[in-house]
Amino acid sequence: MKQSQDDFQLVRAFQNGDEKAFEELIKRYQRQVANIIYLTLGGRDIVEDLTQEVFIRAYRSLSRFAFDASFYSWLYRITVNLCIDEIRRRKLKRTFSLDFFSEERAAASEKPSKKIQTPSDALLENEKRDVVAKALQRLKPSHRSVLILREYEDLTYEEIAQTLRISLQAVKSRIFRAREEMRTLLKEYFQERL
Amino acid sequence: MNHQDIQRRLSEYLDEELSAVDHQIVKEHVAACGECADILAQFQRIRAGIQAGAQAELPHAFSSRALRAARLQMEKASRWTPVEFTARRAVLALFLVVLLLVGLTSFGVQQEGVSVERYLSGEMSDSAESRILFNGADISKEDVLLAALSKR
Ligand SMILES: [Zn+2]
């Protein structure tokens, strides 16, 4: 629980009217929040707006923060909920728009190319990143966020359970299933690169 | 623990969420079992891929801009809250008034309707009722008595 106590001091200062304390909290967590959003949804264009929306929501409800959990797990819960709202919104939009077909086609044509002969290390690195990111986007949202909190944020199972308000058992099985799904999705890729 | 049991625990093993005893058992198995070692290696590559993918970028002035946006939204909300509150109460009051008027008129219309109908059908031509109906306040005790009797 790094910085937990420190965060509490800033939260208290904000609750007592110190706005600069909130800006300090933003500075502390903006990168993590932005990356959770980026990894969950993909697409750089929306990251800044959604990150800002997370902090707007936090600002609005921080007066009710009860100090019963760490600040970051509270903040990541807001982040994950916002991502899930966004996924729902997109799904709805896609259901009602003809773009659905063109998006599917675009996704199909984005499959990793198999014909790279002598890629440089940087290229290989980029490719790996993109392939994994694409697979991640295909996981169920509930599996996706658990895996991101684990792999990117390095939260313990206990912290993830607290953040998402689910049981420890649920965390355990979602992480396991998410990894198994990822392995299936990346099967070809793993075989090529062994 | 057999090979299958170990496989189900590889994920927790990687996350160091197993008890010390189980951790040791899995560790020894993985050292001897190629298949489990492969799965573990793939889990590690997934982890590395996700970590490498965390490339979100924010502009330099993000924190001050976000704070300003949050403050602005809050101000807007607090400016609208009293207005909304008053508006909601006004709508409620209007609704109650309309309800009251509708109640009163429908009650009144019914009575009047019956009287007019009976009047038109000739039932009460030149009766005490017609006098009550058209003379308004100038009603004597006799008129009421006659009206009551003429109902039969
Ligand atoms: Zn094995």
Side-chain angles (χ1 to χ4, degrees), chain B:
Chain B
M1 276 195 274
N2 60 26
H3 172 74
Q4 237 94 55
D5 296 326
I6 301 278
Q7 262 193 18
R8 271 195 297 274
R9 283 174 173 77
L10 285 174
S11 174
E12 286 167 78
Y13 171 76
L14 177 67
D15 295 330
E16 298 185 6
E17 295 273 351
L18 288 174
S19 68
V21 177
D22 284 356
H23 189 90
Q24 192 55 37
I25 293 170
V26 174
K27 192 176 177 179
E28 279 163 21
H29 176 90
V30 168
C33 172
E35 199 185 332
C36 283
D38 277 351
I39 295 172
L40 193 65
Q42 289 178 0
F43 283 170
Q44 277 160 338
R45 289 169 75 181
I46 292 166
R47 169 172 292 176
I50 293 174
Q51 287 171 352
Q55 304 267 332
E57 276 162 28
L58 292 170
H60 183 65
F62 176 81
S63 62
S64 58
R65 212 182 296 165
L67 176 64
R68 212 177 314 130
R71 206 186 290 146
L72 211 70
Q73 278 242 342
M74 196 76 156
E75 274 166 22
K76 221 188 280 173
S78 62
R79 208 179 312 137
W80 277 101
T81 310
V83 176
E84 268 173 42
F85 183 67
T86 316
R88 230 174 280 154
R89 291 185 84 175
V91 168
L92 188 69
L94 201 69
F95 175 71
L96 286 176
V97 166
V98 168
L99 204 68
L100 195 70
L101 281 176
V102 167
L104 279 179
T105 44
S106 65
F107 188 65
V109 163
Q110 204 185 3
Q111 278 214 333
E112 204 178 20
V114 170
S115 308
V116 169
E117 254 174 64
R118 290 175 70 191
Y119 181 74
L120 287 178
S121 67
E123 251 184 81
M124 45 187 274
S125 57
D126 198 31
S127 65
E129 270 177 6
S130 68
R131 249 173 293 144
I132 295 170
L133 201 65
F134 295 113
N135 294 341
D138 304 324
I139 309 164
S140 67
K141 225 189 258 174
E142 269 176 26
D143 287 333
V144 178
L145 209 64
L146 273 169
L149 287 171
S150 73
K151 287 250 173 203
R152 294 167 185 266

Side-chain angles (χ1 to χ4, degrees), chain A residues 94-95 97-108:
Chain A
R94 228 188 307 167
T95 309
S97 93
L98 291 168
D99 283 353
F100 175 68
F101 298 103
S102 53
E103 268 181 52
E104 289 287 288
R105 229 178 291 134

Side-chain angles (χ1 to χ4, degrees), chain A residues 19 23 27 30 35 38 44 48 51-52 59-60 129 150-152 157 172 179-180 182-183 193, chain B residues 11-12 15 17 39 42-43 45 47 51-56 59 62-65 69 71 73:
Chain A
E19 297 257 304
E23 192 176 345
K27 278 183 189 157
Q30 62 184 43
N35 272 319
Y38 181 57
R44 272 168 214 280
E48 189 184 339
T51 306
Q52 180 164 300
Y59 184 95
R60 212 157 43 204
R129 196 175 69 206
R150 174 68 211 125
E151 306 294 40
Y152 169 66
Y157 287 11
K172 211 182 281 183
R179 281 181 176 142
E180 284 297 313
M182 287 291 279
R183 235 160 51 81
R193 297 257 170 268
Chain B
S11 174
E12 286 167 78
D15 295 330
E17 295 273 351
I39 295 172
Q42 289 178 0
F43 283 170
R45 289 169 75 181
R47 169 172 292 176
Q51 287 171 352
Q55 304 267 332
F62 176 81
S63 62
S64 58
R65 212 182 296 165
R71 206 186 290 146
Q73 278 242 342

